[in-house]
Amino acid sequence: MNAPRFSNAARYWRSPLVPDADMVTAEYYDHAFTPHWHDAYTVPVIEAGAECYDYRGSRYVAEAGSVPVINPGELHTGARAVDAGWRYRVFYLPVPFVEGIAREMSPRAASPWFAAEIIRDADLARRLVIAHRALESAGSRADPLAAETALVDAVSTLLARHALERPSAAPPAADAVRVATMKARLADDILEPVTLAELARTVGLSTFHAARLFTRETGLAPHAWRNQLRIVRALPALRAGASIADVAAASGFTDQSHFTRHFKRAFGVAPGRWR
């Protein structure tokens, strides 16, 4: 007998105990996340089912009990890996928060960095779920001190057992400099229309070679990378209560439906529901 499939339902929420962090409690059946990134450490715990995702040039399958951490700013996708879909809890932890705990553990600690391999550590998964549930209920009758203690315990366990130092970056090659230049041009004014020809001229390449280089190095075509940047930059205004139509216009999207479509592909819910 086949297991009942999950629905497509997600609840994003925040806690005053973790300033600027986002958390989500969700399950998905047929939603597929397009390539996107977050500015925070993404720390999920798969509670049931399984999720597959593309990350750093490989495909991974995270089953129940696993912790597939994604580093800040790194491109990834997400979709079901089994017929029923998957259910998970996710922390989106700000970089300063994670770095702060790392420094408390060791004053010489650098920015924590996690390998691409899925973390399979049942005790860690248990601690993360306890902390997530405690934060979710801390606004009601739960003890906020207990919730914060559980969070620090979970994150410090993650860092102590699985964090690495980020590999030293090699001097940028010519192609990396070209891609950085194109990114800067796309990010400079997200409301200004930019043609591929203009982008190519900034790095002295043909339109064909500029588009191919950018896509190869970032994993996204220039227009898709710019739309993802627009979504990330739209989050503060959305949190602050600005109307979705105003946020869409200020972020450079054609209209509200255009913004909503791209937002849902990256976050799994419409912007109104996310807020």
Side-chain angles (χ1 to χ4, degrees):
M1 182 176 179
N2 293 332
R5 73 186 193 187
F6 294 107
S7 60
N8 294 314
R11 187 173 79 87
Y12 280 83
W13 48 278
R14 309 192 98 191
S15 168
L17 300 176
V18 202
D20 300 322
D22 292 314
M23 275 70 73
V24 64
T25 306
E27 61 180 58
Y28 294 107
Y29 168 63
D30 59 3
H31 180 77
F33 291 90
T34 55
H36 65 287
W37 72 82
H38 302 278
D39 288 338
Y41 288 93
T42 301
V43 184
V45 181
I46 310 296
E47 290 194 295
E51 178 192 14
C52 65
Y53 60 99
D54 297 321
Y55 182 45
R56 295 193 196 161
S58 298
R59 171 153 289 198
Y60 297 90
V61 174
E63 72 286 358
S66 64
V67 182
V69 177
I70 305 292
N71 290 300
E74 296 202 348
L75 204 67
H76 59 286
T77 62
R80 74 184 187 206
V82 294
D83 288 343
W86 79 102
R87 185 178 76 238
Y88 64 176
R89 292 174 176 270
V90 188
F91 296 90
Y92 297 100
L93 298 174
V95 172
F97 175 80
V98 176
E99 289 181 339
I101 291 183
R103 283 194 299 271
E104 289 176 0
M105 296 170 65
S106 172
R108 294 185 176 182
S111 289
W113 181 85
F114 296 90
E117 288 71 25
I118 295 169
I119 296 172
R120 292 180 171 90
D121 180 336
D123 177 65
L124 170 65
R126 179 185 62 81
R127 293 170 192 250
L128 287 167
V129 168
I130 289 172
H132 202 275
R133 287 176 175 165
L135 288 171
E136 193 171 19
S137 59
S140 56
R141 286 179 282 178
D143 182 355
L145 177 60
E148 189 172 11
T149 302
L151 175 67
V152 172
D153 170 71
V155 175
S156 61
T157 300
L158 170 67
L159 294 173
R161 294 181 184 173
H162 303 286
L164 307 170
E165 289 189 13
R166 183 180 293 275
S168 299
D175 281 350
V177 172
R178 292 189 182 101
V179 171
T181 301
M182 288 190 280
K183 284 182 175 180
R185 177 69 181 87
L186 292 171
D188 183 47
D189 183 350
I190 58 175
L191 297 180
E192 179 190 3
V194 177
T195 67
L196 184 58
E198 291 170 342
L199 194 64
R201 280 198 295 272
T202 65
V203 291
L205 294 174
S206 69
T207 55
F208 170 77
H209 285 97
R212 187 170 67 171
L213 172 64
F214 192 96
T215 303
R216 186 189 74 204
E217 294 298 313
T218 67
L220 292 173
H223 71 280
W225 186 90
R226 199 182 200 201
N227 281 336
Q228 171 64 20
L229 178 65
R230 285 167 166 163
I231 289 173
V232 171
R233 289 188 176 181
L235 297 181
L238 200 58
R239 285 196 189 102
S243 75
I244 296 170
D246 287 346
V247 172
S251 303
F253 288 93
T254 306
D255 51 33
Q256 181 174 328
S257 63
H258 184 215
F259 172 63
T260 297
R261 185 168 66 252
H262 283 279
F263 191 97
K264 191 171 182 180
R265 289 173 182 169
F267 284 88
V269 293
R273 177 68 176 164
W274 179 89
R275 180 172 57 192

